[in-house]
DNA sequence: ACTTTATATTTCTAATTGGTTATATAGCTA
DNA sequence: TAGCTATATAACCAATTAGAAATATAAAGT
């Protein structure tokens, strides 16, 4: 339903993913670390789950959430052509230089 | 006001940036290509401008918009630690293998 | 069975947002 | 100056959303 871009627009969801980079965590622990109410965290987890960014595993009453970085590749690949630009120091001013004869390829800033 | 993540959550704004990768364009041209009304496009352009993702230049009555990829670096750097994960074929199942002795480093899928 | 623990879901609300229509602004042209 | 062109802004609306509080579910412990 939601793609990775929309999901990551929410800072708390990025925070949750960051926390899960360290390994799987139960909901309660996430609640404690992000400082939201439990329902709020569960809601974010559902969004993350539906986007395929996390996975759950049950352990008694607890649910252990685990990171699934796969869908982030979509963002990465959208970003790819832009990465070239800023890596070359390409930004605003530099852009119209590309249409010039070509003497020095030196980056401006 | 808005960071790059929030700005990119909107597909039309990503589309506008994609169009500007080909060089600067006047608003009218963007309106034509994205198929929204002019005010809608101007609104998106304002958001992009305020996020530092585009820049305007005036040419008579027209405003030429130009890409400024710089702020996308924020996203790229947030993404960096995750990129390692999926590039290694790391996803869900593979994650708990990291805590194992270490024999074969072969990717699963 | 009852209680506690852990989590999900429901309901509600306030705020935000993408879009439209209408209007303003400003440069150009006749 | 009047009118046209290009764009921005304002006013408004419907839909979405993050969060809180309340409730449901379910597994464990007693």
């Amino acid at each position: 339903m939601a793609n990775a871009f929309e999901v990551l627009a929410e800072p708390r969801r990025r925070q949750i993913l960051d926390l899960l980079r360290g390994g799987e965590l139960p909901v309660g622990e996430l609640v404690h670390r992000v400082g939201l109410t439990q329902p709020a965290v569960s809601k974010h987890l559902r969004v993350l789950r539906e986007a395929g960014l996390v996975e759950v595993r049950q352990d008694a009453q607890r649910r252990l959430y685990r990171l699934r970085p796969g869908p982030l590749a979509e963002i990465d690949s959208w970003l790819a052509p832009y990465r070239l630009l800023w890596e070359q120091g390409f930004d605003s001013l530099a852009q119209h230089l590309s249409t010039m004869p070509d003497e020095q390829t030196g980056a401006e800033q």
Side-chain angles (χ1 to χ4, degrees), chain A residues 2-104:
Chain A
N3 70 9
F5 284 101
E6 295 165 30
V7 172
L8 294 189
E10 238 298 313
R12 306 308 186 107
R13 287 196 286 260
R14 293 198 300 276
Q15 188 186 356
I16 289 174
L17 293 181
D18 286 339
L19 289 170
L20 293 179
R21 283 219 324 275
E24 64 182 9
L25 290 173
V27 177
E29 186 60 30
L30 290 169
V31 167
H32 178 245
R33 300 211 201 167
V34 307
L36 284 179
T37 61
Q38 176 265 310
V41 171
S42 279
K43 239 173 159 186
H44 284 307
L45 286 171
R46 192 217 252 261
V47 173
L48 289 165
R49 219 187 316 137
E50 286 175 348
L53 282 161
V54 300
E55 205 177 39
V56 214
R57 177 170 76 87
Q58 188 156 1
D59 168 46
Q61 311 106 313
R62 300 189 310 168
R63 307 294 177 98
L64 299 178
Y65 280 82
R66 176 189 302 181
L67 183 65
R68 292 201 53 181
L72 295 177
E74 182 202 349
I75 293 180
D76 195 58
S77 64
W78 181 85
L79 221 52
Y82 296 93
R83 195 173 302 125
L84 293 174
L85 299 182
W86 81 71
E87 274 174 4
Q88 293 173 344
F90 249 92
D91 214 281
S92 56
L93 225 162
Q95 196 157 156
H96 73 279
L97 295 177
S98 64
T99 55
M100 291 183 68
D102 84 76
E103 287 294 288
Q104 62 307 55

